[in-house]
Amino acid sequence: MPKYEHLYQQTTTGYERAVGVAASPIIDTELNEYFHKRLKNELAEKDPVYSLFSSVTYRETREGMGQICIRVTGKHQASWLIFYRPRPGVSQSKYKLSDYHSISPAQAIKLAIEARNAISEGKHPKDAHRQKVASEGPTLAECLEDKIFQRGVRPERAKGLAESTIHTHRKHMRKIARYGLADKLMTTITSYEVKKLHEQIPKDVQAGNASHGSGYAIADKCVNLINELYLYAKKRYETEDLPPKKIITHNPCDPLKATKTVGSGHRTRKASDRSIRQADLKRFWGALEALKEYVPDRHNRQVESHIVAHAYLKFMLLTGMRGGALSGLKFSMHDSELKALWIVGSNKFLMKAKKDFMLPLSNEANAIILEMHERHAKKSDYIFPTVKGDQGVEVGVSRWVRWIRERVNIDFTAHGLRSTFITCAEACDVPINIYKQLVDHGEQPQDVTSGYTRTEIAHMRAESQRVTDFILDNAGVNRKKKEKQFTADANPFNIKEQLHKEIEEFAASQGIGVREAYEKCMKLGVLAHKRPEMKGKDLLDILNMM
């Protein structure tokens, strides 16, 4: 909190609250873009100054902002709120609008203005909002923000939405707003309007000569978001009648779902349909290695995107990890001695199963991380960063996927490499319970046995190495073959017992001890090695003379 140094003082033992400062100070300031950027950094780094106070409240000083406030507690929990007086002469009250990370500043200001309008009419803000929704129903944009508020944000809430998911939903809602549906009541949106939106988005994208895609994927995602919000609204919103009645009784996306244009059954191609076939691995690997030799343009100043994309795609192929998890991997999660990634604690939400995750790495996958560490660890904490060193490499990978696809004429996607890994694991007879753990596939409810199984990291690493060896062999990668170790398990005959028995018989026939017989056999082996031209009878005669 460097801007408000009058609130505290620094001593030799740490920070202390300044003399005369209240336990819950209120600071008047502008809650502008710079302020939000600084506050998010302070909350992420858990600024120790906040622990000196019960709470610190920042109050907006600009007009037309609903006198919005942000309160930060001593445990670094932030929320949007407003102060108000229910009627003149009554003590001041506060009303929480939302958690700080759940909604955007613009949405918070809108809620603050609505709450103050309700207070001016003599209503409590929560009652006014409930009555409005009960009589009219929410708009699409309001329904989305309500869903985000109810679910919360990870990792603050264990079952909340990821920040990347919220960002994507709001991006698609802004696209929907361009066609006039975002601020329209959900009870008034028709199937014709949704169908028209689905048809118009690709036309507008193509008319703009967009270099990325034809717009059909964006149209599908926008309609899928509308469908998700209607499914949520049907369960969420009810009238205040007794018994209550559902406010949202129809779903305008149903006609498109019936024809499988959108919805759960609209994808006619699975991830396995866009994976690399075993016969195509050699061609794909050659194009992937050619990407490493690509000459970058002058704009790549910090991290060369083609180098990171090369490592990213190769790592995904050799581990089967999801793209969303790869984009958030940090060097601090890597254990170079154990050759493993430890994704635990708050980082566990990178994984879809939402639990602590350990991934043993093959030698080649571990070498990729070491190479990335040597290349850009001083510029970024992320193993596979963007050009600026931030999280989110998957945004730039699509360009290089198209680059490879054009050269080898293989219709694959980055996520298809995950399917390739699983297919190769099955092809080289890796047990299904092992590769399910390697790719973070959750336990099935009916699979009781998997709840009792705990596989050792050494065994999992050996299986991961086996899949890597299978992929590289099919890709035609020339590697120095390891010498096979001869073990008792690989020997169909128990030679050790058989030789011991024969030496015991030899010792009995010669009237000597077993130890002496072993020594004679060892000497005989040395003689046979030094003089391969001599016959066995001559070697025995020499041995008897010694």
Side-chain angles (χ1 to χ4, degrees):
M1 200 186 298
K3 191 176 179 181
Y4 311 105
E5 295 178 355
H6 63 283
L7 299 177
Y8 64 94
Q9 57 187 3
Q10 189 172 4
T11 64
T12 55
T13 57
Y15 293 100
E16 291 182 0
R17 199 165 67 220
V19 179
V21 176
S24 299
I26 298 177
I27 303 171
D28 292 326
T29 184
E30 290 188 7
L31 306 184
N32 51 29
E33 185 178 349
Y34 168 76
F35 171 85
H36 290 296
K37 185 177 180 180
R38 180 172 56 81
L39 179 60
K40 287 179 181 178
N41 291 335
E42 290 175 353
L43 294 176
E45 297 171 1
K46 295 190 180 298
D47 191 334
V49 175
Y50 286 109
S51 59
L52 304 176
F53 305 94
S54 299
S55 65
V56 177
T57 303
Y58 299 101
R59 184 165 53 192
E60 176 65 79
T61 56
R62 293 176 293 178
E63 295 182 0
M65 300 292 181
Q67 297 177 357
I68 190 101
C69 301
I70 299 175
R71 169 165 287 189
V72 183
T73 67
K75 295 183 178 180
H76 301 89
Q77 301 296 322
S79 57
W80 297 98
L81 54 86
I82 60 170
F83 291 103
Y84 70 98
R85 296 184 186 276
R87 55 186 180 275
V90 179
S91 60
Q92 188 172 250
S93 301
K94 63 177 181 292
Y95 172 64
K96 180 180 176 180
L97 299 171
S98 174
D99 292 331
Y100 178 70
H101 296 286
S102 297
I103 60 177
S104 64
Q107 183 67 21
I109 292 169
K110 182 180 178 181
L111 291 176
I113 294 173
E114 290 179 355
R116 293 205 178 276
N117 291 337
I119 293 168
S120 64
E121 296 174 1
K123 300 178 183 177
H124 191 277
K126 188 175 290 186
D127 294 336
H129 179 71
R130 188 184 68 248
Q131 291 172 5
K132 176 190 173 185
V133 171
S135 60
E136 302 177 352
T139 64
L140 271 178
E142 290 174 344
C143 183
L144 174 60
E145 297 301 332
D146 182 48
K147 181 179 179 179
I148 295 171
F149 174 72
Q150 294 297 326
R151 289 284 300 275
V153 185
R154 295 201 309 245
E156 284 78 9
R157 294 190 190 177
K159 295 184 179 180
L161 299 171
E163 288 188 6
S164 59
T165 303
I166 295 173
H167 173 75
T168 303
H169 284 345
R170 285 176 173 157
K171 180 180 72 174
H172 292 147
M173 185 55 68
R174 289 194 295 271
K175 174 69 72 172
I176 294 170
R178 296 178 188 175
Y179 297 88
L181 295 184
D183 295 325
K184 195 169 184 179
L185 294 176
M186 296 180 73
T187 53
T188 61
I189 297 176
T190 63
S191 301
Y192 173 76
E193 290 174 318
V194 176
K195 185 178 180 181
K196 186 177 179 182
L197 173 124
H198 186 260
E199 293 174 349
Q200 192 62 35
I201 289 177
K203 293 179 182 178
D204 294 344
V205 170
Q206 293 169 20
N209 296 322
S211 57
H212 300 292
S214 55
Y216 292 105
I218 298 175
D220 288 349
K221 290 175 182 177
C222 288
V223 177
N224 279 331
L225 176 59
I226 296 174
N227 179 51
E228 286 181 24
L229 293 178
Y230 269 92
L231 295 177
Y232 169 79
K234 276 187 176 181
K235 299 178 181 179
R236 167 75 175 158
Y237 303 111
E238 297 178 339
T239 63
E240 295 183 343
D241 301 332
L242 291 176
K245 298 178 182 178
K246 299 290 183 183
I247 296 176
I248 309 298
T249 57
H250 79 294
N251 187 345
C253 301
D254 284 343
L256 291 175
K257 289 163 62 179
T259 57
K260 292 187 177 181
T261 306
V262 293
S264 59
H266 82 283
R267 289 195 182 108
T268 57
R269 303 184 69 184
K270 301 178 181 178
S272 57
D273 296 331
R274 306 196 72 177
S275 60
I276 308 295
R277 302 297 177 187
Q278 188 174 330
D280 296 331
L281 273 172
K282 190 171 184 178
R283 288 194 299 128
F284 167 77
W285 194 271
L288 188 59
E289 290 299 312
L291 176 59
K292 195 172 183 179
E293 305 301 325
Y294 179 83
V295 180
D297 56 35
R298 60 185 177 85
H299 299 292
N300 293 333
R301 296 177 181 176
Q302 293 188 15
V303 180
E304 295 173 307
S305 62
H306 67 290
I307 296 293
V308 178
H310 167 266
Y312 175 93
L313 295 173
K314 186 183 289 187
F315 194 84
M316 179 179 279
L317 177 62
L318 299 181
T319 61
M321 287 190 71
R322 298 181 183 89
L326 283 181
S327 66
L329 288 183
K330 296 181 178 180
F331 290 111
S332 58
M333 303 176 191
H334 179 230
D335 189 330
S336 57
E337 293 183 2
L338 290 177
K339 295 181 182 178
L341 283 171
W342 299 91
I343 307 175
V344 298
S346 60
N347 296 318
K348 68 185 177 183
F349 296 104
L350 290 174
M351 312 310 296
K352 202 169 183 179
K354 302 175 187 176
K355 60 183 181 181
D356 291 348
F357 181 72
M358 179 276 301
L359 177 66
L361 302 172
S362 62
N363 294 331
E364 289 74 12
N366 189 66
I368 292 173
I369 297 181
L370 295 177
E371 181 185 352
M372 292 292 101
H373 185 275
E374 185 178 352
R375 182 175 290 274
H376 60 250
K378 295 181 180 179
K379 302 173 185 176
S380 175
D381 295 331
Y382 295 97
I383 298 176
F384 305 107
T386 61
V387 174
K388 295 182 179 180
D390 301 328
Q391 179 182 356
V393 72
E394 72 276 5
V395 177
V397 162
S398 56
R399 170 192 172 188
W400 301 113
V401 168
R402 289 194 301 272
W403 188 89
I404 296 174
R405 192 188 297 153
E406 291 170 358
R407 280 155 181 77
V408 295
N409 196 24
I410 300 174
D411 186 17
F412 78 98
T413 60
H415 191 69
L417 299 180
R418 175 176 168 83
S419 176
T420 304
F421 175 86
I422 297 174
T423 305
C424 291
E426 188 175 0
C428 58
D429 298 325
V430 174
I432 186 171
N433 65 306
I434 299 293
Y435 70 71
K436 280 179 67 175
Q437 293 179 64
L438 290 174
V439 298
D440 187 44
H441 274 167
E443 300 170 0
Q444 300 297 325
Q446 66 272 18
D447 189 2
V448 180
T449 309
S450 62
Y452 292 85
T453 307
R454 293 293 179 270
T455 311
E456 294 294 332
I457 184 172
H459 181 47
M460 289 183 66
R461 184 184 295 107
E463 297 296 338
S464 178
Q465 185 66 50
R466 187 141 68 100
V467 181
T468 297
D469 292 341
F470 181 86
I471 292 172
L472 295 179
D473 289 342
N474 282 275
V477 178
N478 294 323
R479 297 179 299 153
K480 186 178 179 181
K481 291 188 177 179
K482 295 182 180 178
E483 205 173 300
K484 290 187 177 180
Q485 295 182 353
F486 184 79
T487 61
D489 296 334
N491 175 25
F493 311 103
N494 199 333
I495 293 179
K496 185 177 179 181
E497 281 189 14
Q498 184 179 350
L499 285 176
H500 184 71
K501 187 177 181 181
E502 290 181 359
I503 290 173
E504 282 184 333
E505 292 175 355
F506 172 71
S509 65
Q510 297 293 321
I512 59 177
V514 177
R515 181 181 181 85
E516 187 180 350
Y518 263 101
E519 291 176 353
K520 282 197 171 190
C521 289
M522 290 175 67
K523 290 178 180 178
L524 183 62
V526 173
L527 287 172
H529 176 71
K530 289 183 176 179
R531 301 183 179 184
E533 74 281 356
M534 296 187 68
K535 295 181 180 180
K537 186 174 181 297
D538 299 332
L539 291 172
L540 286 172
D541 292 339
I542 295 173
L543 185 63
N544 291 328
M545 291 171 62
M546 294 174 66

